Amino acid sequence: MRNSAVRFSCLACCFAVLALGCKDNKPEIKGVIEEEVDTIAQADTIDSVFVDTIPDNARDSLISAAPVPVTVDELFDDFLFLFTANKKLQYERVEFPLPVRDGDRETTLQKKDWKMEKFFSQQEFYTLILDDEKQMELSKKPSTDSVVIETINLKAKTVKQHVFNKRDGKWMLTAINNNTMYQNQNKSFLSFYEQFASDSVFQIQSLNDPVDATIPDPEDDYAMMKGEFHPDQWEEFKPYILPDDTIYNVIYGQKYNISNRKIFVIRGLSNGLEIDMTFKQVNGKWKLVKIVE
């Protein structure tokens, strides 16, 4: 379930190495744009700290100067990394004039008015809202040809959707939709989560008793421990990060149903972070029933 996070990290490292012309000690990076990996990545590892130490403006210039891999459009996550890092590519991959819909009102955005969109690339994590575990696999399917990135402002209760579609095999931003949170397919859960993330008392009230938990074994880096905890133990198991302002949801074609179950995923971009929280409606109220770290 951490493939997307690893992919973003590895791509950043690949392009930094390529742009700097480092041809010795090439890193081996598996599963990321394999044709280009063969030419720029052959050694054992690369420390992502290398990329992090480069100033933002210099890193952006390096990535923009690097050749665009021919396989960048196979998986959306690979494309998204370049879209948020390469200004030239971003302008090429927006269909101008871009339709912008606000409810029933539609306008267009011209190229001269476009501002670089970074989405969640400037923070250490992003989030997903899923109905079930099967939807976690959709990001890995090359057959996916339509993706929506939702920027959800919990405090303002707004949802901004960037709609991407494949055109002749290339990912393109084709529309922006602006709606309220109450018009969203996940409106019931979003309304609940907004209070859950910001109200510590409400958090405890919204815990099932008990909550199933799967956490890393402190005595074995490669093992997990399964058990359960009760609401009065929440502070011991509460995720260290619980976004309460702006969250993102990437829709890789998943179809939402009117469901009494949601999986809220907090996934790191390059730090191995993965927290999956399963919520269910119990007697008409959302409850946290399971957490996996």
Side-chain angles (χ1 to χ4, degrees):
M1 296 190 296
R2 291 177 170 82
N3 286 353
S4 296
V6 172
R7 183 179 298 117
F8 279 111
S9 178
C10 290
L11 277 169
C13 295
C14 280
F15 283 101
V17 171
L18 177 62
L20 289 174
C22 298
K23 298 184 179 180
D24 297 324
N25 297 322
K26 297 172 185 175
E28 179 181 1
I29 302 172
K30 297 180 180 180
V32 181
I33 313 185
E34 294 182 354
E35 292 182 18
E36 283 66 37
V37 167
D38 290 339
T39 64
I40 65 174
Q42 296 296 331
D44 291 333
T45 58
I46 184 169
D47 191 345
S48 62
V49 174
F50 169 73
V51 178
D52 294 336
T53 58
I54 303 174
D56 288 346
N57 58 344
R59 181 169 63 247
D60 292 347
S61 297
L62 291 174
I63 295 173
S64 294
V68 176
V70 296
T71 54
V72 71
D73 289 295
E74 288 188 2
L75 294 179
F76 181 79
D77 285 353
D78 292 343
F79 160 76
L80 184 61
F81 168 78
L82 277 184
F83 185 83
T84 57
N86 188 321
K87 184 176 182 178
K88 180 176 181 293
L89 177 72
Q90 184 167 130
Y91 274 79
E92 291 174 349
R93 294 302 187 91
V94 179
E95 286 190 348
F96 294 111
L98 184 68
V100 179
R101 302 180 183 94
D102 291 274
D104 296 330
R105 179 173 173 266
E106 181 174 320
T107 57
T108 56
L109 188 62
Q110 304 297 325
K111 187 174 184 178
K112 63 182 178 63
D113 299 317
W114 181 255
K115 294 181 180 179
M116 186 74 173
E117 177 60 70
K118 297 275 189 180
F119 295 115
F120 44 76
S121 64
Q122 294 182 304
Q123 61 184 35
E124 63 179 23
F125 66 92
Y126 65 105
T127 49
L128 297 170
I129 300 172
L130 308 170
D131 279 350
D132 54 54
E133 288 81 358
K134 290 181 180 179
Q135 292 181 351
M136 290 184 177
E137 304 301 315
L138 292 174
S139 64
K140 305 172 190 176
K141 291 187 176 182
S143 59
T144 299
D145 60 6
S146 180
V147 173
V148 177
I149 298 180
E150 294 185 322
T151 304
I152 303 166
N153 188 316
L154 295 170
K155 297 187 183 303
K157 295 178 174 51
T158 59
V159 180
K160 186 173 188 177
Q161 296 180 325
H162 286 76
V163 182
F164 292 86
N165 290 286
K166 272 194 173 180
R167 301 281 200 246
D168 297 323
K170 292 184 177 181
W171 284 108
M172 301 289 295
L173 175 61
T174 59
I176 294 177
N177 300 324
N178 294 308
N179 292 299
T180 68
M181 206 165 71
Y182 304 109
Q183 295 170 295
N184 192 267
Q185 291 173 302
N186 293 310
K187 59 184 179 181
S188 172
F189 177 75
L190 289 174
S191 180
F192 157 78
Y193 178 79
E194 187 275 329
Q195 186 175 1
F196 181 84
S198 59
D199 187 333
S200 59
V201 174
F202 185 71
Q203 286 173 16
I204 295 175
Q205 295 172 346
S206 302
L207 300 180
N208 197 51
D209 192 5
V211 177
D212 292 332
T214 302
I215 62 175
D217 187 338
E219 298 182 359
D220 186 344
D221 292 339
Y222 300 97
M224 302 293 287
M225 298 173 56
K226 292 186 178 182
E228 58 186 33
F229 66 89
H230 301 280
D232 60 359
Q233 297 173 292
W234 174 236
E235 288 302 320
E236 301 172 36
F237 291 88
K238 179 180 177 180
Y240 83 93
I241 187 168
L242 200 60
D244 62 357
D245 187 0
T246 299
I247 62 175
Y248 294 88
N249 183 35
V250 185
I251 304 175
Y252 296 98
Q254 63 259 37
K255 304 296 183 183
Y256 292 111
N257 298 310
I258 299 176
S259 172
N260 65 352
R261 182 173 183 261
K262 296 292 179 185
I263 302 174
F264 186 74
V265 180
I266 303 173
R267 181 173 290 168
L269 292 181
S270 60
N271 52 18
L273 172 69
E274 175 94 11
I275 302 171
D276 303 340
M277 294 184 288
T278 301
F279 296 85
K280 285 187 178 180
Q281 282 192 327
V282 180
N283 297 324
K285 295 182 178 180
W286 287 102
K287 297 280 188 179
L288 176 64
V289 299
K290 180 180 179 181
I291 185 167
V292 178
E293 295 190 24

